[in-house]
Amino acid sequence: MKKHGRDWAAAAACLLLVGGLGTVSLFVGSFPLSLSQIGSILTGGMEGTLEAQVFWQLRFPRMCMGLLAGWALGLAGGVYQTVFRNPLASPDLTGVASGASLGAACAIVLGAGTRLEIMGGSFLMGMAALALVLLLVGAARLERTGSYILAGVIVSSLAEAGLMTLKVMADPERELAAIEVWTMGSLSAMTADKLPLPAAVVLCTVALLLLRRPILMLSLGDEQARSLGLDPVFWRGVLLTLTTLMVAAVVSVLGAVAFVGLIAPHIARLLLGRRGGLYLPLCGLVGGAVLLCADLPARVCTLPLSIFTVLLAVPVLAALLWRRKEGTYGDDA
């Protein structure tokens, strides 16, 4: 009962934080909007005005996408760290971020005419990175979780090498700048017409929450999972596919955003003290809060998101290091 009370208290606190950050984000931007103006826009009193267009076409979609992307990255990180029993596991583990960045860079260098074409190249290459990871693991016939991590490092390294090659080939005045911005992530180009693109996030979220039992069983180790009647190879492949599809959809729109999928599960773990209960939904909520928080200074300074997510990650990782030194960061389920 005490654990459930802590779960719901942590979830309520995160919901309030996300709601507060989301509300603040509606006011922050180069075009000023007052509280009275937003209230009038929401009630339909300023229909057709420039303020209403800014709110519905730019400000509101940016807030929604920030929340959705943070949720996806945080949830994916929680799944990775649970399944692989590795506190350093993150969405970058499968090479999806590097692969998606390489796909976007390929589209830019090849002269993609629209942002939709760039997003398409990013998404396809991100999914190709996952396929290559699964192919490497299958070819090696290794069932240990470490083999997936090693395969992810291999694929990420290949993608990074390809990305560096494309940077050398790119036009320094136009293409190189676009590639650099993509690899650091940004919500600045988010508009209402792009919101339906990462619809896979919602479907994958539902599937992952329904598969919470296999996720927790895999956290016990392969031998224990088999003794409980679970095929670890099959279910790990299913979970990797779902999380990678979700992350690739986000990266294809925002670009690569660093550290959100790494630190959100640790914050959720510190709040709950375990990986059971509402751990996975809380990972998503924390991820949304982290990304919305990072986007606020990014709007004011017009800088990429990853600069601020890295700055937010430093104290979290330092606290984690200190707790490990003190021996207070256990592995209770």
Side-chain angles (χ1 to χ4, degrees), residues 90-278:
S90 71
D92 298 335
L93 174 70
T94 58
V96 60
S98 298
S101 296
L102 177 61
C106 286
I108 292 170
V109 172
L110 292 174
T114 65
R115 189 172 178 84
L116 184 60
E117 293 173 344
I118 297 175
M119 289 186 288
S122 175
F123 179 78
L124 291 175
M125 195 65 78
M127 293 305 296
L130 171 66
L132 184 54
V133 167
L134 297 178
L135 181 63
L136 288 172
V137 173
R141 296 185 179 181
L142 293 173
E143 298 182 3
R144 295 188 296 272
T145 56
S147 60
Y148 289 87
I149 296 174
L150 180 57
V153 170
I154 293 171
V155 173
S156 293
S157 300
L158 289 172
E160 288 294 338
L163 188 59
M164 287 187 285
T165 302
L166 288 174
K167 286 182 179 180
V168 173
M169 297 169 56
D171 176 6
E173 294 185 1
R174 184 175 56 87
E175 298 170 346
L176 183 59
I179 292 173
E180 290 292 352
V181 170
W182 190 275
T183 55
M184 291 187 285
S186 176
L187 283 165
S188 60
M190 180 51 53
T191 54
D193 61 312
K194 295 185 178 70
L195 271 179
L197 291 172
V201 171
V202 178
L203 298 177
C204 292
T205 292
V206 173
L208 288 170
L209 294 180
L210 290 176
L211 294 175
R212 176 177 170 274
R213 178 178 167 82
I215 292 171
L216 292 177
M217 290 170 69
L218 284 172
S219 71
L220 301 174
D222 286 7
E223 291 186 6
Q224 187 69 18
R226 285 195 188 90
S227 69
L228 296 173
L230 191 77
D231 182 351
V233 177
F234 171 77
W235 282 105
R236 197 175 290 115
V238 170
L239 295 171
L240 272 176
T241 301
L242 288 172
T243 51
T244 302
L245 176 63
M246 183 169 62
V247 173
V250 168
V251 173
S252 69
V253 179
L254 267 69
V257 181
F259 283 112
V260 175
L262 176 62
I263 64 172
H266 288 299
I267 297 174
R269 175 76 165 77
L270 292 172
L271 290 173
L272 293 183
R274 61 196 180 107
R275 291 195 179 92
L278 297 176

